[in-house]
């Protein structure tokens, strides 16, 4: 049995130690030595086995190719960052002037660049603030503006968000009391008017962004609630800062403020296409009350989030924007080209029409025309467990790889991954090289990740 220090001196493992850390490399060596003791590995192969077992990254999170057709997939990290945002995060990873004025040599407002960019993006907002997600933004607003008082809310907007968390429970946890009005399907202006009184902290209007109620329904727009004599808080959820013509029923921050909302809360990592963040925009005095509340310190964002958010707001169009506006004809051409390429290598592949969705609790019921490559369902597991992992959806007994959720420059990588996954067991490669991945788990369902909200 080779000594551990001798194995660790292998140049490949020494380099890996600098990248991954000594603990992770030693664990790989120890596992290879265990296999030698059990007779499953020759002593001379310990270093090779340890190198082969090392992960690519020091963290457990792995980059994934999202071909589910869900643009903002909660389980896959929601919005992918733009190259500009990724570059900004890298630049801010070391010491940075996040809260320091380099000219004056003293303390400065934290994240002023991101706040200025957000204010410029929504000129109708007198004040802006950023916390760590939209639920946090709503909690901060409820705590700062309505603790010990009432929040008036329609029964039709008592939303349950991802993983069983419910907005009513979230709001009550702040010390506020809920004054529910109307019914599940119909709420009128009179319901709000009759509930507002001296104990009202604010009226809350929540966009039901992960479900729809149809039929005999009625609701009250933000613009009609502004004359009640109390602040109106609008939780728009999905993070549009301005109107999106492709999603006419999805509210946006600028529109809500124009309609008279006093405070708007939204997510940063959905349709905005940025990092996870909660945005507060609106009346200067209300935003300042939230910003100066002690809870704001517990909910503040780190320098990496601020950097990514500023780059998202100031930089080029985001991957989410590109996916939302992808040309269906181009998607069809890409699917056909991929299917021809895969079929020529002996893979059962064909181009098919598909329907994509926004996901992440945005634009419920809205579908986007798309195109996909249809493959045998048995390829779902080896694709998910390969390198890189490729995640599609199972529909009609076939695995669909929807191209709306990946850029055209990823098509070659998708093709290589499919050919590796389709290679016969034990083969060293496919028509284009590579080894099939291995692993377990069920195929992802067609609706996976389409509901999560905050």
């Amino acid at each position: 049995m080779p000594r551990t220090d001798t194995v660790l001196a292998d140049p490949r493992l020494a380099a890996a130690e600098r990248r991954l850390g000594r603990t992770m490399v030693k664990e790989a060596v120890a596992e290879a030595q265990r296999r030698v003791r059990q007779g499953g590995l020759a002593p001379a192969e310990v270093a090779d086995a340890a190198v082969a077992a090392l992960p690519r990254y020091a963290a457990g999170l792995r980059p994934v190719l999202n071909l589910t057709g869900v643009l903002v997939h909660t389980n896959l990290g929601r919005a992918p960052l733009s190259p500009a945002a990724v570059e900004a995060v890298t630049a801010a990873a070391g010491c940075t002037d996040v809260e320091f004025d380099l000219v004056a040599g003293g303390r400065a407002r934290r994240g002023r660049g991101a706040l200025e960019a957000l204010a410029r993006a929504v000129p109708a907002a007198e004040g802006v603030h950023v916390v760590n997600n939209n639920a946090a933004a709503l909690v901060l607003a409820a705590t700062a503006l309505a603790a010990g008082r009432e929040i008036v809310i329609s029964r039709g907007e008592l939303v349950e968000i991802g993983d069983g968390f419910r907005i009513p429970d979230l709001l009550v946890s702040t010390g506020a009391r809920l004054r529910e009005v109307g019914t599940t399907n119909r709420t009128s202006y009179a319901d709000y008017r009759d509930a507002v009184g001296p104990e009202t902290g604010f009226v809350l209007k929540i966009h039901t962004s992960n479900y729809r109620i149809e039929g005999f329904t009625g609701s009250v727009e933000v613009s009609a609630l502004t004359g009640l004599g109390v602040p109106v808080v609008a939780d728009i959820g999905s993070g549009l800062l301005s109107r999106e013509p492709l999603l006419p029923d999805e509210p946006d921050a600028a529109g809500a403020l124009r309609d008279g909302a006093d405070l708007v809360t939204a997510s940063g990592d959905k349709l905005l296409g940025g990092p996870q963040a909660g945005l507060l925009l609106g009346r200067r005095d209300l935003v300042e009350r939230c910003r100066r509340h002690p809870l704001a310190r517990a909910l503040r964002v780190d320098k990496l989030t601020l950097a990514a958010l500023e780059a998202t707001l100031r930089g080029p169009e985001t991957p989410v924007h590109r996916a939302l506006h992808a040309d269906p004809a181009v998607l069809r051409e890409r699917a056909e080209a991929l299917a021809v390429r895969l079929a020529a290598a002996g893979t059962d592949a064909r181009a098919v029409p598909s329907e994509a969705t926004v996901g992440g609790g945005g634009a419920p019921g809205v579908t986007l025309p798309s195109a996909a490559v249809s493959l045998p369902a048995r390829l779902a597991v080896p694709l998910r467990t390969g390198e890189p992992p490729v995640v599609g959806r199972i529909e009609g007994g076939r695995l669909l790889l929807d191209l709306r959720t990946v850029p055209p420059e990823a098509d070659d990588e998708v093709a290589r991954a499919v050919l590796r996954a389709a290679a016969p067991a034990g083969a060293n490669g496919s028509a284009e090289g590579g080894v099939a991945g291995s692993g377990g788990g069920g195929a992802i369902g067609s609706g996976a990740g389409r509901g999560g909200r905050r």
Side-chain angles (χ1 to χ4, degrees):
M1 174 73 68
R3 290 168 50 90
T4 299
D5 56 355
T6 301
V7 179
L8 289 173
D10 183 291
R12 297 168 298 171
L13 294 172
E17 185 177 323
R18 292 190 293 271
R19 183 170 56 88
L20 301 173
R22 188 173 182 82
T23 299
M24 194 175 291
V25 175
K26 283 188 69 175
E27 288 175 352
V29 171
E31 173 60 22
Q33 291 170 330
R34 184 191 65 80
R35 290 172 59 191
V36 171
R37 294 188 188 96
Q38 294 180 343
L41 190 69
E45 297 174 336
V46 169
D48 290 342
V51 169
L54 288 173
R56 186 175 178 182
Y57 305 100
L61 295 177
R62 299 170 63 189
V64 171
L65 288 175
N66 172 19
L67 286 107
T68 62
V70 182
L71 276 59
V72 181
H73 199 304
T74 298
N75 303 139
L76 298 180
R78 291 188 177 163
L81 295 179
S82 68
V86 172
E87 185 178 25
V89 168
T90 302
C95 293
T96 185
D97 59 341
V98 63
E99 206 168 327
F100 186 76
D101 188 325
L102 293 170
V103 175
R107 186 180 184 130
R109 185 177 182 185
R110 182 180 181 85
R112 57 202 177 279
L115 295 173
E116 290 168 1
L118 181 57
R120 181 174 295 184
V122 188
E126 297 176 359
V128 298
H129 187 59
V130 180
V131 291
N132 57 24
N133 64 13
N134 192 35
L138 196 53
V139 163
L140 182 58
T143 305
L145 308 180
R149 305 180 72 190
E150 291 182 346
I151 297 174
V152 178
I153 183 173
S154 167
R155 291 188 174 92
E157 298 172 6
L158 298 177
V159 178
E160 178 174 313
I161 58 181
D163 200 26
F165 289 98
R166 295 175 173 177
I167 291 297
D169 298 337
L170 199 69
L171 295 171
V172 169
S173 74
T174 69
R177 303 186 303 275
L178 293 190
R179 181 72 181 271
E180 300 174 13
V181 298
T183 63
T184 301
N185 60 316
R186 290 182 67 82
T187 302
S188 68
Y189 173 79
D191 293 323
Y192 288 101
R193 181 198 61 207
D194 295 344
V196 169
E199 289 298 301
T200 304
F202 59 80
V203 170
L204 177 59
K205 184 70 178 171
I206 293 183
H207 175 51
T208 54
S209 59
N210 60 357
Y211 67 94
R212 292 189 305 173
I213 299 177
E214 299 179 335
F216 185 56
T217 63
S219 62
V220 183
E221 298 298 325
V222 167
S223 58
L225 299 173
T226 58
L228 294 173
V230 296
V232 176
V233 177
D235 174 11
I236 65 170
S238 63
L240 279 180
L241 298 187
S242 57
R243 185 175 179 273
E244 171 52 66
L246 292 179
L247 305 173
D249 295 328
E250 198 70 14
D252 62 276
L257 291 171
R258 283 196 304 271
D259 287 343
D262 298 285
L263 187 68
V264 172
T265 68
S267 294
D269 58 349
K270 296 181 181 178
L271 287 171
L272 178 58
Q276 176 181 299
L279 314 179
L280 294 100
L281 312 98
R283 271 174 41 190
R284 183 176 291 105
D285 61 323
L286 298 185
V287 172
E288 191 65 12
R289 283 173 64 183
C290 292
R291 187 180 78 84
R292 297 306 304 169
H293 193 279
L295 183 61
R297 178 62 181 244
L299 302 177
R300 78 178 190 178
V301 293
D302 73 326
K303 61 184 181 180
L304 303 183
T305 300
L306 290 168
L309 179 61
E310 181 178 356
T312 298
L313 292 165
R314 296 190 191 275
E317 64 182 24
T318 65
V320 169
H321 183 274
R322 289 179 61 190
L324 183 63
H325 290 267
D327 185 342
V330 173
L331 294 174
R332 184 169 60 251
E333 291 173 1
R334 289 171 56 196
E336 290 171 351
L338 265 175
V340 168
R341 178 175 174 180
L342 295 173
T347 302
D348 176 9
R350 54 183 179 266
V352 297
S354 179
E355 289 187 340
T357 60
V358 171
V366 175
T367 58
L368 304 167
S370 188
V373 176
S374 174
L375 300 167
R378 61 178 175 78
L379 295 182
V381 172
L383 277 170
R384 288 202 314 273
T385 54
E387 184 59 49
V390 175
V391 183
R393 72 177 188 267
I394 299 296
E395 192 172 291
R398 300 276 293 182
L399 172 64
L400 298 188
L401 302 184
D402 193 308
L403 297 179
R404 185 177 278 271
T405 43
V406 291
E409 53 267 28
D411 288 356
D412 282 346
E413 194 172 16
V414 172
R416 289 192 294 269
V418 172
L419 292 171
R420 285 194 297 269
N428 290 325
S430 69
E432 297 194 11
V435 180
S438 61
I444 191 165
S446 61
R450 298 191 182 208
R453 193 165 190 270
R454 284 165 178 73

